Amino acid sequence: MMIRIAVLKERESGERRVAMVPAVIERLTRLECAVTIEAGAGAALGIADDAFAGATMVDDVATLVADADIVLAVQPPNPETLAAMREGALLVCFTQTADMPAMSDRLAARQITCLAMERVPRISRAQSIDALSSQAALAGYYAPLLGATHLGRILPRMTTAAGSLRPAAVLVMGLGVAGLQAIATARRLGAVVEGYDVRPETRDEAASLGARFVETGVDARGEGGYARELTPEEKQTVAAAVTRHLQAADLVITTAAVPGRPAPELISAEQAAGMKAGAVIVDLAADSGGNCALSQPGETVHRGGITVIAPLNVPSRLAEHASELYARNILNLLELLIVDGELAPDWNDEVLAAMRLGPVDEPAGQRDNTAIA
């Protein structure tokens, strides 16, 4: 019997992505999967139902998930959809939601195992599954473009008959995937770019993209490729070192976020107040509270002559490519779950163990890793 995969239409306001795209459907069929998609799933990004060749379209969501072995989504399904899923099914989606405790209860009630796409470990063999990184790369690309549209000046140097215009100074704070992509895009647009991160090993990566690294003397390397929390003394040291660079910047892009935790504050209200008139801050960490004390998630605010932009769900603004990359991440995950045409997840696998939320039936001798995070 073929493995039955169901793909949901997203219902969260502002979410334009979809968990599967037509280009990936054919590769799913090679894995001996039967794919069923909710009608209109791709409408928000202009994909018609008949573009999903090889998949079956279904109007009713309860019918869609009732006998599915695997349900795919971007955002967590609503309670009604979870209740309609068959017991023992697998759910694949992001799970970063304020309603996570209630969702955990619903998963347990239906014996549904969820593979959380934000929990992919930062190891080499999991890179092709790492949806946070694929989506962050797009957000990092978008941030300088968004900031440029709010600046009262251009980014590159320009020479005209009336004289020359100097290039804009861009400071990127947080040099993970999003930050490095922001540096690359700002450099391609002609800006002079600086990069800052509390992890000094990112110095070479910033330099390789043409950015000057802001030295603070603080090493805050943590576990899993993320930065650790700074001590109060370290925060003071970093603030003193960074403030001068903030005051010289025309555009600041902040990207520091750790899954499941509030975003760290990188720019205080006092530091923002000292920035030059007309400067712009693009806060890519707005989904988890923001890196700037002045950020209002989902809003653009003007304060003391500067503009602070805190967009939510930035990858959804680039829904076509965000969906394509996410679908590929899921395909690579499914290739780990499906062996010789059978759904056979190895829950001892470090990638699956890290992603897994909720109870599963395991063969005797496999480790218990069923805690809801």
Side-chain angles (χ1 to χ4, degrees), residues 32 42 58 86 91 102 121 200 222 244 273 290 334 347:
E32 300 184 39
V58 174
R86 73 169 183 80
L91 171 65
R244 178 170 56 87
L334 293 177
W347 298 118

Side-chain angles (χ1 to χ4, degrees), residues 153-158 165-169 190-192 250:
R153 54 164 304 138
I154 63 172
L155 292 186
R157 179 185 300 278
M158 182 180 290
L165 300 172
R166 65 174 178 81
V192 174
D250 298 296

Side-chain angles (χ1 to χ4, degrees), residues 166-308:
R166 65 174 178 81
V170 175
L171 172 62
V172 179
M173 304 181 73
L175 302 183
V177 174
L180 293 173
Q181 189 61 56
I183 286 176
T185 302
R187 287 282 296 156
R188 285 195 293 266
L189 292 173
V192 174
V193 185
E194 292 185 314
Y196 159 72
D197 198 292
V198 291
R199 300 165 299 167
E201 73 269 22
T202 60
R203 179 189 298 105
D204 291 342
E205 294 176 287
S208 72
L209 295 171
R212 184 172 62 183
F213 188 77
V214 176
E215 301 283 357
T216 65
V218 173
D219 184 344
R221 282 173 283 195
E223 296 180 358
Y226 298 101
R228 64 172 173 80
E229 182 70 20
L230 298 180
T231 66
E233 293 77 15
E234 288 173 330
K235 288 180 180 179
Q236 290 181 358
T237 300
V238 168
V242 170
T243 296
R244 178 170 56 87
H245 298 270
L246 283 169
Q247 292 173 344
D250 298 296
L251 171 61
V252 178
I253 298 167
T254 67
T255 72
V258 180
R261 302 181 191 173
E265 182 179 295
L266 301 183
I267 304 175
S268 68
E270 292 76 15
Q271 287 175 312
M275 293 175 66
K276 64 172 68 174
V280 173
I281 297 172
V282 177
D283 190 342
L284 287 185
D287 287 295
S288 53
N291 295 141
C292 177
L294 300 184
S295 293
Q296 298 293 323
E299 305 290 336
T300 297
V301 299
H302 305 278
R303 192 79 59 84
I306 71 169
T307 301
V308 182

